[in-house]
Amino acid sequence: MGDAMTIRDAGPGDRAAILEIDPVAQTDRDRVKFIERVLESALCLVAEDGSGILGYGVLEYTFFENGFISMVYVSDSARRKGVGTSLMKELASRCETLKLFTSTNESNSGMQGLLEKLGYARSGTIENLDPGDPELVYFQELGSETA
């Protein structure tokens, strides 16, 4: 990582740079469609420094009307340097609901550790999304409603 990292709103002009750091998008047309959709319609943030985009994160409200972080991806070269933590915290700070959910595969121990460090609690398991690799749902209470 080069200069100080910043987080900003992403837009359609970030498509190529996001596709470049996300190897899944290089072989999976559905991931490309997802990236194109969220760049137009959801809260998509990018973390970047002087070297370019380091990662991206997406906040949507399609999970029972609650905030749901549907994606956090950090480039291989920027992992374990606070990029994921920064994206997660910024997404949470922008969430407009009191409940924030996210999920990760059971095999993704790195993301599970990050979620636990950030105070997320396990909230359930979804089978049959990825064969043999259940999806673990996590939850964080963001605050209480004020009258």
Side-chain angles (χ1 to χ4, degrees), residues 1-132:
M1 291 181 4
D3 305 328
M5 181 182 62
T6 59
I7 294 179
R8 64 170 173 80
D9 291 347
D14 294 309
R15 178 186 182 275
I18 290 172
L19 294 177
E20 187 176 315
I21 67 160
D22 186 343
V24 174
Q26 295 166 19
T27 59
D28 184 343
R29 181 69 190 139
D30 288 337
R31 179 69 74 95
V32 174
K33 288 179 188 175
F34 167 79
I35 292 167
E36 290 170 345
R37 177 180 62 81
V38 300
L39 285 173
E40 294 285 348
S41 65
L43 177 61
C44 183
L45 303 177
V46 292
E48 65 184 350
D49 67 7
S51 68
I53 290 180
L54 307 170
Y56 69 103
V58 177
L59 175 63
E60 302 184 82
Y61 296 94
T62 55
F63 190 72
F64 301 97
E65 307 295 322
N66 290 293
F68 186 83
I69 297 173
S70 59
M71 175 67 67
V72 170
Y73 186 85
V74 177
S75 69
D76 286 341
S77 63
R79 290 192 178 162
R80 299 228 171 280
K81 298 178 180 174
V83 177
T85 298
S86 295
L87 283 166
M88 290 292 295
K89 286 181 175 180
E90 184 64 23
L91 290 165
S93 77
R94 295 187 185 202
C95 184
E96 297 173 0
T97 60
L98 298 177
K99 296 178 181 179
L100 178 59
F101 291 86
T102 191
S103 67
T104 190
N105 287 95
E106 185 175 65
S107 64
N108 191 343
S109 59
M111 185 63 173
Q112 290 173 50
L114 174 59
L115 292 170
E116 290 166 14
K117 180 179 92 170
L118 292 174
Y120 285 76
R122 283 279 303 273
S123 188
T125 303
I126 301 171
E127 302 285 344
N128 305 310
L129 288 173
D130 293 320

